[in-house]
Amino acid sequence: MKVKELSIPIIIPKLQTLLPRIDATHPKIPFMQADLAKLLKGYRGEKAVNYYLDFLPEKENFIIHSLRLPSGNYFFQIDFLILTNRYALILECKNFFGTLYFDEDFNQMIRTANDKEEGFQDPISQAKWHQQQLRSFLKLHNITLPIEFFVVISDPSTIVKTNPRNREAMKKVVHGHSLLEKISEVDSRYQNEMLDSKEVRKLSKLLLKSHTPEDIDVLAKYGLGVVDILTGVRCPGCGRIPMIRQKRTWNCCGCEVKEKNAHVSAVMEYFHLFGASITNKQFREFVHLESDTIAKKMLQAMNLPFSGSNKGRIYYDPMKR
DNA sequence: ACTTTCTACCCTTATAGCTG
DNA sequence: CAGCTATAAGGGTAGAAAGT
C-alpha cells in the first residue's frame, strides 16, 4: 500500500518557474539548468523504482516515498521506506550512469564515464547513516523493528563493480530490475512478527506526521534577489512574459493567445518564488495590474485561504494549508 | 435580445506600519 | 506609546463586454 505516493520534488517546479523569469544572460542560469537536469534525472530514477514497488503485495507493505524526518536539529531524507510488521527497508535511489566502483577501503564510490573518473560519497555509507538515524527515531518512540537497506541503481545500463572482498556492496547494491527479488530475500529472512497490524499502521501514521517537507527558497539558493525576477503573467501558449490585460483577458504580444485566467498560474508561480503568501499589492506588482479593486476581485475569485481583514489581508498557497 | 460577468468607480471601515 | 496615514477590504452601483 502506498501510504505516501511518489510525487515530484517541489524544487523541480520551483526551478521551472524561476528559469524563464530571469534574464537569459544571467551567469547563474547554467548552474540552475544543470541542477534541474540532475533533479529530473533523479526523479525519473525514483519513478522507475516506484514501478517495481507496485508489484509488492498490497496488504503487507506500507510504502512511503520521500520521507524527511527530524534528527536532532537536522533532518534526514529517505527515498523510499517500506514498512512491514517484521522489518523496515530503506531504499536509497541512485541514478548514476557509466561504471560504478564501490571502494570499501575509503568509503567512496568512483564513477567512470566518458573517459572521466569522478569520486562520490559512498551511497552505502549514506544509506547506513539513514539506517542509524531511523533507528534512533524508532527508539525515541519505543519501537523495535529491524532496519534493512538497499542502494538501488535505477539505470539498467549502469555497470556496478567492486572488489570481490567487498561482500557488503555485492549484497546491498541492486539494480531496479532485481529489486523485487532482493526484497523477497529480505522478506524470507525476517520471520518474527515485531508489530501487529495495528501497530504498523500506527507507525506509518507517526512517520507521516513527523515528515517535514523541505521548503526551499530558490532565490536564496542561487543568490538571487527580487530585482532579478522578471515579473508579469506568463503566456500559457508561448511562455512569453508579460501578458497584457485588456478587454478582460490576458493577451500575449508574441503569439495571439488570449487567456482569461492566466493570472491564476502567475499566483502559483509567485508562491514558488517568494513563499506561500501574497498580498493585494504584491499581486498587482507581480502581474502588472493597476487597479486594486480588480486585483481584489481576482484574488477573491481564486478562493485562496486567507488571514486578516481589510489592510491586513494575506492570501495563502492552498497547497500549503 | 436577454442575462451574466467584469470593470471602474464610489464611500466606509479596519488596521499595519510609520512618525514623533 | 498615541496619533496619523496609507492601504485594502466590504459593499454598493452603473455601464460595458461577453456569453447564450
Side-chain angles (χ1 to χ4, degrees):
Chain A
M1 181 171 62
K2 297 271 173 65
V3 188
K4 185 169 173 290
E5 283 281 354
L6 177 82
S7 61
I8 193 157
I10 186 72
I11 176 92
I12 290 178
K14 280 190 176 187
L15 270 173
Q16 286 167 336
T17 298
L18 177 61
L19 269 162
R21 287 193 178 273
I22 45 182
D23 190 276
T25 61
H26 198 286
K28 290 281 169 62
I29 286 194
F31 296 100
M32 292 185 226
Q33 281 171 335
D35 286 352
L36 180 60
K38 251 184 251 167
L39 286 159
L40 283 169
K41 192 164 185 288
Y43 182 55
R44 276 198 298 275
E46 287 180 21
K47 255 189 184 160
V49 172
N50 191 57
Y51 163 80
Y52 292 108
L53 299 182
D54 279 335
F55 293 93
L56 288 173
E58 265 285 311
K59 278 191 177 166
E60 293 142 52
N61 299 281
F62 289 70
I63 301 168
I64 306 175
H65 169 249
S66 189
L67 181 64
R68 187 165 173 270
L69 298 174
S71 162
N73 292 327
Y74 300 94
F75 291 91
F76 66 104
Q77 182 146 0
I78 293 170
D79 293 339
F80 288 98
L81 182 70
I82 302 170
L83 214 59
T84 76
N85 57 353
R86 288 156 292 136
Y87 62 91
L89 174 63
I90 294 172
L91 300 183
E92 181 82 38
C93 294
K94 291 295 160 198
N95 311 281
F96 293 104
F97 59 94
T99 301
L100 306 179
Y101 181 82
F102 287 83
D103 182 347
E104 90 271 37
D105 295 323
F106 297 104
N107 284 335
Q108 215 192 2
M109 188 193 76
I110 297 151
R111 190 262 299 274
T112 314
N114 310 325
D115 299 323
K116 212 174 78 184
E117 255 192 6
E118 257 177 293
F120 294 90
Q121 194 203 347
D122 175 21
I124 295 178
S125 30
Q126 210 177 323
K128 273 186 181 167
W129 175 232
H130 289 161
Q131 180 189 37
Q132 199 178 315
Q133 287 177 105
L134 183 61
R135 205 173 277 143
S136 26
F137 179 90
L138 294 184
K139 200 176 172 189
L140 199 71
H141 295 91
N142 291 317
I143 297 162
T144 338
L145 193 66
I147 303 166
E148 284 283 333
F149 71 85
F150 283 128
V151 171
V152 189
I153 306 295
S154 51
D155 188 340
S157 66
T158 304
I159 298 163
V160 179
K161 283 184 179 171
T162 182
N163 185 319
R165 282 182 292 117
N166 190 351
R167 299 189 54 100
E168 183 163 51
M170 298 184 22
K171 270 191 207 156
K172 297 296 191 186
V173 181
V174 305
H175 266 116
H177 49 80
S178 52
L179 178 63
L180 289 175
E181 195 187 315
K182 292 283 188 173
I183 291 179
S184 67
E185 253 176 60
V186 171
D187 200 69
S188 54
R189 204 157 3 108
Y190 288 94
Q191 302 282 345
N192 290 350
E193 197 174 306
M194 305 298 288
L195 306 168
D196 62 38
S197 59
K198 206 177 162 183
E199 287 170 319
V200 181
R201 216 166 305 139
K202 215 178 125 192
L203 173 56
S204 91
K205 267 198 192 132
L206 170 70
L207 290 167
L208 285 188
K209 225 183 95 193
S210 312
H211 169 67
T212 321
E214 191 176 12
D215 200 9
I216 302 147
D217 181 346
V218 268
L219 295 190
K221 186 177 162 79
Y222 295 99
L224 301 169
V226 192
V227 285
D228 297 306
I229 303 298
L230 250 74
T231 56
V233 173
R234 216 166 94 86
C235 171
C238 66
R240 188 192 164 103
I241 298 169
M243 294 183 93
I244 311 281
R245 188 167 179 89
Q246 45 193 195
K247 295 191 178 176
R248 304 157 161 228
T249 52
W250 295 100
N251 300 287
C252 179
C253 314
C255 58
E256 291 304 301
V257 164
K258 289 178 195 293
E259 171 56 54
K260 278 177 80 104
N261 294 315
H263 59 275
V264 174
S265 46
V267 172
M268 297 309 156
E269 292 185 26
Y270 185 93
F271 289 149
H272 278 155
L273 298 173
F274 301 108
S277 69
I278 195 166
T279 64
N280 185 305
K281 188 177 184 180
Q282 289 169 331
F283 173 68
R284 277 173 3 236
E285 279 168 9
F286 192 64
V287 302
H288 302 178
L289 207 60
E290 296 271 307
S291 160
D292 59 342
T293 329
I294 293 166
K296 175 176 72 172
K297 299 263 152 112
M298 283 178 172
L299 287 166
Q300 281 172 344
M302 285 177 67
N303 283 320
L304 298 167
F306 62 83
S307 71
S309 57
N310 300 315
K311 189 179 152 63
R313 176 76 98 232
I314 298 170
Y315 301 90
Y316 297 101
D317 185 349
M319 307 301 283
K320 294 260 169 79
R321 295 259 141 169

